[in-house]
Amino acid sequence: MIPAKFDYIKASSVNEAIDLLDKHGFDAKILSGGHSLIPAMKLRLNQPEVVIDISAIPGMNTITEDGDEIVIGANCTHNEILKSDLINNELNILAQAAKTIGDIQVRNRGTIGGSLAHADPSADYPATVLACEATIVAEGKNGSRTIAAADFFQGIFTTALEDEEIITAIRFPKVANGNYQKFYQSASRFAVVGVAVVKNGDAVKVGVTGVADTPYRATAVENAYDGTSSAASHAVDGVEVMSDHFADTEYRSHLAKVYVKKALEA
Ligand SMILES: Cc1cc2nc3c(=O)[nH]c(=O)nc-3n(C[C@H](O)[C@H](O)[C@H](O)COP(=O)(O)OP(=O)(O)OC[C@H]3O[C@@H](n4cnc5c(N)ncnc54)[C@H](O)[C@@H]3O)c2cc1C
């Protein structure tokens, strides 16, 4: 399939990309790894007149330590994340999630910034970003701001980003004890259910993806946690559980409880 005709511009700085977004408005789309945007363009679900490629902007694919935080450039690919020593040592849960994404081609091209901006309800990183209480760094016409993960995902394919904002980095607190568990959709390998658990002393933080149209913190599990996995029975309390041809509501609810249990036990 061939996308509709579009102009292609390769931005060489964040400011240039923001200016281009501002100039072209609704007709423009940012391109990073292209592994969600290009399929959508081929299916004509997206028909931007201008595509602004940010993949070669210097400084957007670094992984660094900043005190108690790990700062990941938005253009880091899933493969760069899963291979990073810093992430494997200080934020292992993110490497666990990255390893489960798609196949080798997807992991070599797809980026963390693109995945978060796209906000697919079955994407893997959102559960981890929520459980880790990461912050998303966005830059736009009015400068730079940070958005808490809890405020970032606002609905299916919908985020708190303004039209002319781009994600430049994601800041994660270091996590010593975290686990990601996933039930794969057998064709695409997206998450039918994905669960991230971060344990700190006697408390847990639980992020869930794939289950509802927006990823969520399973606060009912967090509140009921007693050091065992029994709190997993609260995995979908208060949640409107999705239904599709991969898993209906009843089966998906069951899977959510099973995968929360697995992550708590791990
Ligand atoms: C076969 C296949 C299997 C996949 N399996 C999985 C899976 O198992 N788990 C999973 O989580 N994902 C999966 N994906 C999705 C993959 O991870 C994508 O790479 C990712 O969702 C989007 O990242 P990207 O860099 O490719 O973004 P792009 O496709 O370039 O962009 C996606 C969207 O985000 C916007 N955007 C991109 N970067 C930025 C930025 N820095 N700031 C603001 N907006 C931006 C674009 O304008 C576009 O709207 C799969 C994709 C394919 C094709």
Side-chain angles (χ1 to χ4, degrees):
M1 279 180 288
I2 298 171
K5 196 166 174 286
F6 61 90
D7 287 334
Y8 170 87
I9 307 173
K10 194 158 194 164
S12 54
S13 69
V14 172
N15 283 343
E16 186 189 357
I18 293 166
D19 286 344
L20 286 164
L21 271 181
D22 192 41
K23 178 174 167 201
H24 295 284
F26 224 63
D27 297 328
K29 269 290 192 191
I30 292 289
L31 174 86
S32 45
H35 268 60
S36 291
L37 181 63
I38 301 292
M41 287 170 64
K42 287 182 170 179
L43 292 167
R44 312 257 169 149
L45 297 171
N46 271 137
Q47 297 194 33
E49 288 175 14
V50 181
V51 168
I52 305 161
D53 184 350
I54 60 166
S55 64
I57 294 179
M60 272 185 72
N61 66 344
T62 55
I63 300 172
T64 54
E65 199 170 8
D66 182 13
D68 289 339
E69 289 188 319
I70 304 296
V71 186
I72 304 175
N75 282 346
C76 286
T77 64
H78 313 320
N79 202 31
E80 285 167 339
I81 286 170
L82 77 88
K83 293 223 165 111
S84 156
D85 287 341
L86 192 53
I87 291 181
N88 275 285
N89 293 333
E90 305 285 0
L91 188 61
N92 190 272
I93 187 171
L94 193 70
Q96 294 173 40
K99 260 182 213 139
T100 73
I101 295 178
D103 51 32
I104 187 74
Q105 289 94 336
V106 175
R107 293 194 293 273
N108 273 336
R109 296 294 305 180
T111 66
I112 186 167
S115 176
L116 296 178
H118 191 57
D120 188 303
S122 301
D124 290 285
Y125 289 135
T128 314
V129 164
L130 283 169
C132 295
E133 295 182 334
T135 49
I136 288 95
V137 183
E139 290 195 33
K141 264 301 196 215
N142 299 320
S144 179
R145 66 178 178 129
T146 53
I147 307 167
D151 300 325
F152 186 75
F153 303 103
Q154 300 200 334
I156 190 159
F157 301 113
T158 309
T159 70
L161 283 178
E162 299 291 344
D163 287 342
E164 85 296 352
E165 276 183 328
I166 64 174
I167 301 174
T168 51
I170 302 93
R171 302 184 73 96
F172 284 85
K174 292 178 183 172
V175 169
N177 196 358
N179 188 263
Y180 185 69
Q181 295 285 330
K182 169 175 178 178
F183 183 82
Y184 292 83
Q185 199 262 83
S186 52
S188 72
R189 292 176 59 80
F190 271 94
V192 175
V193 170
V195 177
V197 168
V198 169
K199 188 164 186 289
N200 203 347
D202 290 337
V204 287
K205 290 177 281 180
V206 183
V208 180
T209 190
V211 173
D213 62 6
T214 311
Y216 63 93
R217 274 280 288 274
T219 47
V221 175
E222 296 175 4
N223 294 336
Y225 182 66
D226 61 359
T228 73
S229 60
S230 64
S233 61
H234 297 283
V236 295
D237 285 9
V239 174
E240 199 171 320
V241 177
M242 285 197 295
S243 174
D244 58 25
H245 55 286
F246 304 118
D248 65 13
T249 300
E250 189 185 350
Y251 181 44
R252 204 177 227 108
S253 302
H254 170 72
L255 285 173
K257 293 173 193 171
V258 170
Y259 277 76
V260 169
K261 184 168 187 283
K262 279 163 85 91
L264 287 174
E265 286 173 352

